[in-house]
Amino acid sequence: EAGVTQSPTHLIKTRGQQATLRCSPISGHTSVYWYQQALGLGLQFLLWYDEGEERNRGNFPPRFSGRQFPNYSSELNVNALELEDSALYLCASSDQGPLSYEQYFGPGTRLTVT
Amino acid sequence: GNSVTQMEGPVTLSEEAFLTINCTYTATGYPSLFWYVQYPGEGLQLLLKATKADDKGSNKGFEATYRKETTSFHLEKGSVQVSDSAVYFCALSRTDKLIFGTGTRLQVFP
């Protein structure tokens, strides 16, 4: 069974640009979560999508947004990039079934803002 | 609110030493508890979990027991290997997200 995949692996942008990160969940999983892992700050919850809807977001400004497509893949968009947005962005998926709350993570996209 | 506190690292051990990484939590209700591991340059992998009090999660020689009375979920391994060198994250679940501790780096030397 294929795991969670993310693209691109690395992304380099300049301040003020926009970044788009992509995630494909495990087949059969309907929920996608996004987390930011910034240096020294641990893992912070960004967004949760389920069945195409945004269900919850963490304490991040509105320039962090995303969507979930009918095939349950997801996109994270970061507008007006700032230097402190440099981080590893991790996507996770779950099936919200009887073993819900168990999330499976992708390898991440490392975003560097210069 | 909900939070997870982990012991600070790095934890440095010799191969075959005993490992304990402490984790305590604050939560409303009865969350599920997890340990995730992150090897260098990789994403997170689920190491083990426990979904209710007194449950013991185990995998690859690692164990952790869900202790409601002490709100703890300490990670243990009887004999560590160099290949166990990684960052370990304790986490609790809410319906909409995982809440992570800050991570503990483990370094194992031959």
Side-chain angles (χ1 to χ4, degrees), chain A residues 70-92:
Chain A
N71 66 354
Y72 304 115
S73 66
S74 177
E75 200 172 83
L76 174 69
N77 295 294
V78 188
N79 294 318
L81 284 164
E82 300 179 3
L83 295 178
E84 52 265 33
D85 296 333
S86 294
L88 181 67
Y89 289 84
L90 293 168
C91 170

Side-chain angles (χ1 to χ4, degrees), chain A residues 6 9-10 35-44 87-92 103-111, chain B residues 6 19 21 34-48 59-60 62 75 81-91 100-108:
Chain A
Q6 292 186 244
T9 305
H10 294 90
Y35 294 85
Q36 182 194 65
Q37 188 177 22
L39 198 61
L41 293 179
L43 281 143
Q44 303 294 321
L88 181 67
Y89 289 84
L90 293 168
C91 170
Q103 297 181 15
Y104 296 86
F105 284 79
T109 293
R110 184 162 297 283
L111 173 64
Chain B
Q6 281 181 245
L19 169 71
I21 300 178
F34 304 86
W35 277 99
Y36 282 84
V37 58
Q38 186 175 35
Y39 297 101
E42 298 184 13
L44 270 67
Q45 298 177 25
L46 178 63
L47 182 59
L48 53 84
N59 186 27
K60 299 181 181 180
F62 290 90
L75 182 69
Q81 305 299 313
V82 172
S83 57
D84 294 326
S85 298
V87 180
Y88 293 81
F89 291 91
C90 183
F100 288 90
T102 52
T104 302
R105 181 175 301 279
L106 170 66
Q107 297 174 318
V108 181

